Amino acid sequence: MHILYITPYTPNRIRVRSFEFLRALVARGHQVTLGALWATDEEKRDLDALRDLGIGVTARPLRRLQTLANSLA
């Protein structure tokens, strides 16, 4: 089954629930594509680690200015 998993942050070993859920889906043979936002270089590296697990990643940067604009709105 092909699964699209969308999250407003980058799953990693600190955000365990999403990370382990994605890893388990891939281990069961599913094709997984992650849609996420990243804000730091560390989060960008975490996305590369997810790609290494066989997860398709579509990610966009979340700029600091956009975060402030969202808060004001």
Side-chain angles (χ1 to χ4, degrees):
M1 180 184 309
H2 191 87
I3 299 169
L4 174 62
Y5 190 89
I6 300 173
T7 181
Y9 56 84
T10 301
N12 56 28
R13 295 190 189 275
I14 294 171
R15 294 177 172 136
V16 178
R17 185 177 181 133
S18 292
F19 179 81
E20 291 298 328
F21 186 68
L22 291 168
R23 201 170 67 117
L25 288 171
V26 170
R28 290 181 177 236
H30 299 291
Q31 293 179 328
V32 180
T33 301
L34 170 69
L37 299 172
W38 59 272
T40 66
D41 288 336
E42 183 178 343
E43 289 178 343
K44 197 171 180 183
R45 285 190 297 273
D46 290 336
L47 291 170
D48 290 335
L50 291 170
R51 284 185 185 101
D52 292 342
L53 292 174
I55 298 169
V57 176
T58 301
R60 299 285 184 246
L62 180 61
R63 304 283 183 227
R64 184 82 169 158
L65 184 60
Q66 183 63 45
T67 303
L68 294 172
N70 291 345
S71 296
L72 289 173

